[in-house]
Amino acid sequence: MFSSLRVRNYRLFFLGQVVSNIGTWMQRIAQDWLVLSLTGSATAVGVTTALQFLPMLLFGLYGGVLVDRLSKRRALLFTQSAMGATGIALAVLTLTGHVQVWHVYLAAFAAGLATVVDNPARQSFVSEMVGPDQLQNAVSLNSANFQSARLVGPAVAGVMITGVGTGWAFLANGLSFVAPLVGLLMMRSRELYAVERAPRGKGQLREGLQYVAGRPELIWTIVLVGFVSTFGFNFPVYLSAFADDVFHAGAGSYSLFNTVMAVGSLAGALLAARRGTARMRVLVVGAVAFGTLEIVAAIAPSLWMFALLMAPIGMFGMTVNVTANTSVQMGTDPAMRGRVMALYMMVFMGGSPIGAPIAGWITDAYGVRAGLAVGGAIAAVAAATIGLLLARMGDLRLSVGWNHGHPQVRFVPRERQDQLAPAA
């Protein structure tokens, strides 16, 4: 489960990200709380979130082109420093009493700009640290790392905001980037897997898109992730409405739902770390299960049943994320990996600004149960359709059966008529 941590360079990277991810979650909570305190407007909080994702939507593909040209280690040294600087700048403004809402907007947009390069660089740098044999394990542990921070960071931020104020939470996040920077500087260059960089030239963005378009296993994986992230991952809309409007239980239940889902996501990431390969059937079955469980949760009659369902939903959601991420990386030429991962992250992260308003409209018009059920149904149907399409392209058929007392779902070669005919 933790085999990739035997690699010294990746171990340094992983430990640095543990600290940095906790700081990032602290800043997210403190940032939203500060904007709400300054404006009293939930819309302003939404604007702040949108500004963080907007650069990825606008410039994400260009970030991938840059990553393929640059040393990913040096690129990460720059982007991690830039994101640390935004946290320290917000801390200074807040602690001195000069902070205004436009300062927070600017810091969110600046951090988003850094993410345009940081995200594809971080994703593709993993393979340079551990190589192809340990890639699935390392990607899974990265996800487990992030989910662990999701459990710890908001709790620490809540205590810090209540005790000493939001400014100190921003300062803690800014200083947390020292850990990944030290880890990057301590790495041994000779132990990294050499990757040929793309030369500077025209048409590299178009070249990357053509590369993906010519590989069905890449394009359909990205399309599937797009459907799941756009329609199935709108939990900020759904969970708050279930806590308040359906179960009338308040903020405590909202926190409970998020915590249980984070625990399930962490379990899903650790289980993925035990698998040696990223298989398409795992991706398709995981996505179908994820969407189906959302439909079941939509009709859950009680708060506790709904809360318990958040664990497997988080687990299967993380299975989809890790499996898709790994299969895209392993199926991509190293010289193209930055551009392909930029497209993947743009689709994965860019789904929220599109899907959230649709989910909100369905929820307002027909109720949150309908909104969650529709989102789950779209994710499940899209996954099943793409799975059958890929099976047909590979001349496979779906086989459902039992193996040593356990259900088994897999694609097997289709039997041809000439194979079934008796020998002459």
Side-chain angles (χ1 to χ4, degrees):
M1 187 178 291
F2 303 101
S3 57
S4 56
L5 289 176
R6 299 189 190 116
V7 180
R8 180 181 181 274
N9 284 342
Y10 179 70
R11 188 164 62 248
L12 290 169
F13 176 84
F14 182 88
L15 293 174
Q17 290 300 309
V18 168
V19 179
S20 177
N21 284 335
I22 291 174
T24 297
W25 277 105
M26 290 174 65
Q27 173 137 335
R28 286 189 184 184
I29 301 300
Q31 181 177 271
D32 291 348
W33 187 261
L34 176 61
V35 170
L36 196 61
S37 301
L38 291 172
T39 65
S41 169
T43 301
V45 177
V47 169
T48 309
T49 303
L51 286 171
Q52 282 187 286
F53 287 105
L54 185 61
M56 180 61 76
L57 284 172
L58 296 177
F59 312 117
L61 293 176
Y62 295 98
V65 172
L66 282 174
V67 167
D68 280 337
R69 293 177 181 173
L70 302 172
S71 161
K72 296 173 183 61
R73 185 181 175 190
R74 291 178 182 173
L76 287 171
L77 284 168
F78 174 79
T79 57
Q80 297 281 296
S81 298
M83 289 191 285
T86 62
I88 291 174
L90 270 180
V92 171
L93 288 167
T94 306
L95 292 172
T96 57
H98 294 96
V99 70
Q100 298 178 36
V101 70
W102 70 267
H103 292 142
V104 186
Y105 288 164
L106 184 61
F109 188 75
L113 282 174
T115 302
V116 168
V117 174
D118 185 81
N119 241 315
R122 253 187 314 112
Q123 298 289 333
S124 52
F125 188 50
V126 173
S127 63
E128 294 186 24
M129 288 184 285
V130 302
D133 293 341
Q134 294 288 350
L135 183 58
Q136 161 114 3
N137 183 263
V139 170
S140 303
L141 290 182
N142 280 351
S143 299
N145 186 331
F146 186 77
Q147 295 303 324
S148 300
R150 181 181 171 187
L151 292 172
V152 176
V156 176
V159 172
M160 190 169 286
I161 292 169
T162 304
V164 294
T166 55
W168 294 101
F170 293 138
L171 182 62
N173 176 55
L175 295 176
S176 74
F177 283 94
V178 171
L181 289 172
V182 170
L184 288 165
L185 291 171
M186 290 178 63
M187 287 183 184
R188 296 169 181 162
S189 299
R190 66 180 182 276
E191 294 179 7
L192 294 173
Y193 287 75
V195 173
E196 184 180 352
R197 295 184 214 165
R200 179 183 289 272
K202 293 183 178 180
Q204 289 181 323
L205 177 57
R206 184 174 63 254
E207 182 186 8
L209 294 174
Q210 289 173 344
Y211 178 86
V212 174
R215 285 161 175 76
E217 71 279 7
L218 293 181
I219 193 167
W220 287 116
T221 298
I222 293 173
V223 168
L224 174 54
V225 166
F227 272 104
V228 173
S229 64
T230 301
F231 299 102
F233 273 68
N234 297 302
F235 295 110
V237 176
Y238 299 137
L239 299 189
S240 57
F242 265 95
D244 192 37
D245 300 335
V246 176
F247 299 122
H248 309 290
S253 292
Y254 177 60
S255 176
L256 172 65
F257 298 156
N258 278 284
T259 300
V260 174
M261 180 175 289
V263 171
S265 299
L266 178 59
L270 292 175
L271 288 173
R274 296 188 63 181
R275 289 193 295 269
T277 58
R279 297 181 179 180
M280 184 57 67
R281 74 182 184 201
V282 175
L283 175 61
V284 171
V285 172
V288 171
F290 172 78
T292 303
L293 283 167
E294 285 198 331
I295 297 172
V296 174
I299 59 176
S302 68
L303 183 150
W304 289 108
M305 183 178 293
F306 182 84
L308 288 174
L309 284 167
M310 290 302 104
I313 286 174
M315 184 180 72
F316 282 110
M318 185 54 60
T319 298
V320 172
N321 182 11
V322 171
T323 306
N325 187 313
T326 309
S327 63
V328 168
Q329 288 205 53
M330 294 183 71
T332 303
D333 187 280
M336 288 282 184
R337 193 166 283 147
R339 279 165 282 184
V340 174
M341 290 311 297
L343 176 62
Y344 173 86
M345 293 307 299
M346 189 178 75
V347 170
F348 182 71
M349 297 175 65
S352 294
I354 298 170
I358 297 174
W361 174 77
I362 295 174
T363 297
D364 288 341
Y366 303 102
V368 66
R369 291 188 183 275
L372 181 58
V374 169
I378 292 174
V381 170
T385 302
I386 290 171
L388 292 174
L389 179 63
L390 288 171
R392 181 175 292 252
M393 290 171 62
D395 200 24
L396 304 172
R397 65 178 178 83
L398 184 66
S399 172
V400 181
W402 291 85
N403 182 29
H404 300 295
H406 298 286
Q408 184 180 60
V409 180
R410 57 180 180 153
F411 290 107
V412 298
R414 190 183 300 275
E415 295 178 337
R416 299 180 182 276
Q417 289 299 320
D418 57 355
Q419 292 175 331
L420 296 176

